Amino acid sequence: MSDQNRVIAFYDERMLAHEPDIEAPFLPGRMDTRIRSLLSGLGVPWKYPEHPARLTAIRHFLELEPVPGVTFEAGVAATREQLARVHTLSYLDSIFQLRGKSAWLDVDTTAVSPGSVEAAEVAAGTAIAAVEAVIEGRAESSFALVRPPGHHAEPVRARGFCLFNNVAVAAAHAQAILGCERVMIVDWDAHHGNGTQDIFWADPDVLLFDIHRGAPFYPGTGSLEEVGVGLGDGTNVNVPLPADAGDAAYLKAFREILVPAAKWFRPDLILVSAGFDPHSHDLALNVSYDGFAAMTGILQALAREQCGGRLVFVLEGGYNLISLSRGVSAVLRVLAGEAPPEPGQRGIAEVEAAAAFHRGAFLSPASD
């Protein structure tokens, strides 16, 4: 492992305090009544899918199977000024007023518990810390293991389990403070990053490439025609996919759309909204661990070519704890110097060896 492949993973236990419990009393109001009506109509028990075990499972797996070259650092809380670069002050005030409380925020069941606001501040601040680590040269790449996720959060609205848009906060900080004029955001989560798109919709200095399962899959946005507006026309690139699309589709999109777009844009920094719900365990798409590794390899090579290797991953979705933790590990291994395998090739060498072993048994007997 060379210094070039040094990776810092950021993890902070304060983010575990975000733990909405649907059995807990929420702030009274129509939202509570509406959501409880929706949940009762499901006919099956429902628990908040975005729970603390998402982070602890990742950390425990990386302790059981450490990745050489990866070190851990704690996160930091974002300031109001940092959050206000992408969220309105009125929205921030409305969220800060919920500190220490439980409340529903959206009919898609986005909720907060007493520790959620601080957890969200730490999630956004940790994304910033991950960016600062690569800009300062302390690591070539970094991974912010954060929750709650962020890419559905809009300037004035919480959505899809997201309170603050972590990757957008980090991108805006890189531009405002760290001297990055052009930032590229790659979102490979199974769900379209509607919030990130909304925030940078007219910004010519942020290129958003978003590959996702297409509508009507949640949140229903992200069509091909959504390309930005004004000076930002053309810097919003959506690649909607059908259900069960997998490695081949993702890698084709990366090689034939993302790479040319990046070379045209010439970013100073590449950020990745890394959701692991495209894995088949989450029942939306069909990306394998090797697929995540191969995508990481493409991005790593692109970052080294375009922006001195500066590459930062920020965790988004992924709700099956096995595929989430193994997916993160697959990414970290490539960042730390392991060559990514070619998806779909595992077992081929073994089959060839078995064929050679058995071949003699199936030869036709020599004719008399």
Side-chain angles (χ1 to χ4, degrees), residues 24 38 41-42 78 97-98 125 129 133 139 160 187 196 199 248 255 268 283 310 326 367:
L38 290 171
L42 293 177
Q97 288 172 7
L98 297 175
D187 190 328
T196 311
I199 289 166
R255 290 166 178 155
D268 299 310
L283 305 178
R310 293 187 290 271
R326 289 185 176 274
S367 53

Side-chain angles (χ1 to χ4, degrees), residues 197-349:
Q197 175 174 286
D198 192 11
I199 289 166
F200 298 115
W201 184 240
D203 191 338
D205 297 320
V206 175
L207 174 64
L208 172 62
F209 173 92
D210 196 311
I211 184 168
H212 52 274
R213 182 168 162 181
F217 195 66
Y218 183 87
T221 52
S223 70
L224 285 174
E225 295 76 17
E226 295 170 21
V227 295
V229 70
L231 294 176
D233 187 357
T235 57
N236 197 82
V237 180
N238 282 306
V239 184
L241 298 176
D244 296 328
D247 296 342
Y250 267 74
L251 293 176
K252 186 177 180 66
F254 268 50
R255 290 166 178 155
E256 298 183 14
I257 306 172
L258 184 152
V259 170
K263 291 182 177 180
W264 163 78
F265 185 67
R266 296 178 293 109
D268 299 310
L269 169 71
I270 298 177
L271 293 169
V272 186
S273 271
F276 292 89
D277 43 7
H279 191 275
S280 58
H281 286 354
D282 269 305
L283 305 178
L285 292 159
N286 201 29
V287 176
S288 69
Y289 303 129
D290 287 351
F292 290 123
M295 290 190 291
T296 302
I298 292 172
L299 293 173
Q300 184 182 60
L302 195 58
R304 287 173 176 171
E305 175 188 301
Q306 295 293 319
C307 51
R310 293 187 290 271
L311 177 61
V312 177
F313 285 72
V314 179
L315 184 64
E316 296 289 357
Y319 304 96
N320 180 283
L321 300 185
I322 295 173
S323 53
L324 173 61
S325 53
R326 289 185 176 274
V328 169
S329 177
V331 168
L332 289 173
R333 290 184 181 280
V334 174
L335 294 180
E338 190 173 294
E342 183 64 26
Q345 297 303 304
R346 286 187 186 267
I348 296 298

Side-chain angles (χ1 to χ4, degrees), residues 28-171:
R30 288 177 293 178
M31 184 72 76
D32 184 80
T33 302
R34 171 63 174 154
I35 289 179
R36 293 197 184 280
S37 174
L38 290 171
L39 295 178
S40 66
L42 293 177
V44 294
W46 189 89
K47 293 187 180 297
Y48 201 75
E50 206 292 289
H51 51 80
R54 295 182 64 241
L55 283 195
T56 56
I58 295 170
R59 186 62 192 264
H60 291 162
F61 185 79
L62 294 176
E63 290 172 350
L64 288 171
E65 297 188 16
V67 179
V70 175
T71 58
F72 282 88
E73 292 188 11
V76 295
T79 66
R80 179 185 175 90
E81 178 183 4
Q82 290 166 341
L83 296 171
R85 294 190 182 109
V86 303
H87 295 290
T88 66
L89 294 178
S90 60
Y91 173 70
L92 294 179
D93 287 341
S94 70
I95 294 297
F96 294 153
Q97 288 172 7
L98 297 175
R99 199 181 301 274
K101 301 177 182 179
S102 293
W104 296 111
L105 302 183
D106 196 90
V107 290
D108 65 16
T109 61
T110 304
V112 294
S113 63
S116 295
V117 175
E118 181 184 20
E121 290 170 322
V122 173
T126 299
I128 288 176
V131 169
E132 290 180 337
V134 302
I135 297 298
E136 293 167 0
R138 295 194 296 114
E140 181 188 53
S141 54
S142 61
F143 202 134
L145 300 170
V146 300
R147 63 175 294 274
H151 71 154
H152 293 309
E154 300 169 359
V156 297
R157 181 183 178 192
R159 286 192 69 188
F161 309 140
C162 304
L163 302 183
F164 302 137
N165 196 306
N166 306 318
V167 76
V169 170

